[in-house]
Amino acid sequence: MDFRGSHILSIDQFDRSDIEKLFSVADKLEPYASKEKITRVLEGAILGNMFFEPSTRTRISFGASFNLLGGNVREITEVGSSSLAKGESLADTAQVLSGYSDIIVMRHPENDSVQRFAEASRVPVINAGDGSNEHPSQALLDLYTIQKELSQNGKSIDGLRIALVGDLKYGRAVHSLCKILSLHDNVTMNLISPKELRIPSEIAELLASRGLNIKETENLEDGISEVDIIYVTRVQEERFKDKNDANKYRGLLSLNQSIYTANCEPNTVIMHPLPRDSRSDANELDSDLYENPNLAIFRQADNGVVIRMAIFALVLDIEEKIEETSRPVNWKVGLKD
Ligand code: NCD
């Protein structure tokens, strides 16, 4: 795809060469993300960071990524603080906000809302999650993490064996991740969820049509026994009409160190898009996994910055200009020993 000036709305826009390109830009941006070098390439540019649903990692990492490239960030963090609460249409909001911004990142609770917003926008729009539909930047950072973690064990994504655990029906991160994994060869996917929270049929059909080896089960121990990656997700309670229904599934598929030791191959990597539900009745990933070096959840979250920097660099077409404004960092802040 031609990234320049494009909206990034769905992982369907990407083929394998696009992913390789994005990852190679991300690798180049690593010294800027880790603050060994500074660039001001986006000086004067404004990101409209529009979040009409709760977010911690996605909002802050998109904002931090734009700042690290030298740009400024303007934010909306809830529907109540924007004119959508006064009945303004998404299209009008898009017309107005795209006059104030050079690029917009948007999260919204309705499926396809970001697509509708983008149609009326005069600047590129990046989907940061639309309802239960898609979360493309999360899939990109997840895949980048999978690649990095596997390469340490001498493996690649072709031939990957992965278990996806939890709310596969409403989890947009899972939906986008399934699609991006389906571009790879010889992938085995164990889909572990309660029957009612199975992956939507259109995604299951896509996976089957692309030749993935799929197994669906409700049994955690069975599904995690021969995989390279376990990807755990939260019950998306905000998508249930009746919250009591969501409560039925909380805690059904919790992973702890003893289940891991008894069932998993050595070096099975544990991932989660976060937030993990750590309430005692959920305990999706037990705190006793904290000592497990294969718990990659915070490395995964960290990778969000460099991947989102790479998305901005390609969409705003400044990738080649970064070095021109590059200089060393002359400060270092950390905790004292
Ligand atoms: C995910 C999301 O918002 O879809 N979180 C994230 O962006 N890292 C997953 C979730 O909320 O469960």
Side-chain angles (χ1 to χ4, degrees):
M1 92 163 115
D2 186 1
F3 283 90
R4 288 172 302 170
S6 294
H7 302 305
I8 306 291
L9 300 174
S10 164
I11 214 67
D12 293 335
Q13 292 169 252
F14 289 77
D15 64 20
R16 281 186 69 157
S17 67
D18 301 323
I19 297 165
E20 270 166 38
K21 179 159 190 192
L22 187 91
F23 287 4
S24 79
V25 174
D27 289 342
K28 272 200 339 215
L29 287 168
E30 201 65 65
Y32 300 93
S34 57
K35 291 162 203 172
E36 283 151 43
K37 288 188 190 174
I38 285 182
T39 173
R40 310 307 299 159
V41 65
L42 283 183
E43 196 157 26
I46 295 178
L47 163 67
N49 214 17
M50 304 298 149
F51 279 73
F52 300 108
E53 244 194 359
S55 173
T56 305
R57 276 144 292 270
T58 307
R59 180 170 67 85
I60 302 297
S61 65
F62 264 119
S65 305
F66 208 73
N67 288 149
L68 286 165
L69 291 168
N72 300 309
V73 182
R74 289 280 170 273
E75 294 197 316
I76 288 176
T77 53
E78 45 176 319
V79 186
S81 67
S82 80
S83 286
L84 288 175
K86 299 181 186 171
E88 186 171 59
S89 69
L90 272 176
D92 280 6
T93 308
Q95 282 284 350
V96 172
L97 292 178
S98 56
Y100 305 153
S101 316
D102 299 289
I103 187 163
I104 292 174
V105 169
M106 182 167 169
R107 169 173 287 187
H108 192 280
E110 278 167 37
N111 290 26
D112 298 321
S113 53
V114 183
Q115 287 75 350
R116 281 189 279 126
F117 183 93
E119 278 162 25
S121 171
R122 291 172 277 158
V123 299
V125 175
I126 299 173
N127 182 359
D130 63 313
S132 61
N133 184 34
E134 277 233 38
H135 194 349
S137 66
Q138 180 71 42
L140 292 162
L141 80 88
D142 287 343
L143 194 75
Y144 188 68
T145 305
I146 292 172
Q147 189 182 67
K148 278 193 155 185
E149 298 287 326
L150 289 187
S151 70
Q152 286 171 13
N153 300 330
K155 299 177 188 167
S156 74
I157 302 177
D158 290 319
L160 172 74
R161 301 164 304 158
I162 186 168
L164 299 171
V165 185
D167 183 350
L168 309 184
K169 177 178 182 186
Y170 294 119
R172 57 191 170 201
V174 163
H175 300 164
S176 292
L177 182 58
C178 282
K179 290 183 180 183
I180 207 169
L181 288 173
S182 74
L183 299 174
H184 295 79
D185 299 330
N186 200 14
V187 173
T188 299
M189 217 180 248
N190 294 348
L191 301 170
I192 311 170
S193 70
K195 268 203 300 297
E196 298 80 1
L197 301 183
R198 283 165 65 175
I199 199 105
S201 54
E202 60 278 12
I203 298 183
E205 281 156 24
L206 176 90
L207 298 176
S209 73
R210 294 199 173 153
L212 277 82
N213 182 9
I214 304 292
K215 173 164 113 179
E216 291 197 77
T217 174
E218 292 183 68
N219 184 305
L220 183 70
E221 282 86 345
D222 180 31
I224 60 174
S225 63
E226 287 176 1
V227 296
D228 308 299
I229 305 274
I230 306 173
Y231 187 98
V232 182
T233 63
R234 179 178 67 87
V235 177
Q236 308 281 295
E237 57 187 29
E238 63 276 35
R239 309 277 173 239
F240 287 74
K241 285 191 193 76
D242 180 352
K243 287 266 179 306
N244 291 324
D245 281 344
N247 293 341
K248 287 195 287 205
Y249 306 111
R250 183 172 297 128
L252 288 184
L253 295 167
S254 305
L255 182 64
N256 62 26
Q257 187 58 45
S258 64
I259 297 175
Y260 181 94
T261 311
N263 296 282
C264 294
E265 292 177 359
N267 297 327
T268 302
V269 176
I270 305 164
M271 294 175 60
H272 192 305
L274 302 179
R276 56 174 157 165
D277 189 343
S278 294
R279 287 171 285 193
S280 56
D281 57 346
N283 216 15
E284 279 161 12
L285 291 176
D286 198 289
S287 53
D288 67 2
L289 290 162
Y290 202 72
E291 300 299 315
N292 186 328
N294 299 299
L295 184 72
I297 55 177
F298 299 120
R299 297 193 286 277
Q300 180 184 359
D302 284 351
N303 288 334
V305 170
V306 83
I307 285 295
R308 290 174 172 131
M309 287 175 81
I311 294 174
F312 287 135
L314 285 166
V315 171
L316 296 173
D317 196 23
I318 44 88
E319 184 219 335
E320 303 292 337
K321 301 191 190 112
I322 291 168
E323 290 298 322
E324 284 172 25
T325 63
S326 172
R327 56 186 167 81
V329 174
N330 53 18
W331 52 269
K332 180 117 194 106
V333 184
L335 291 174
K336 67 179 182 194
D337 298 330

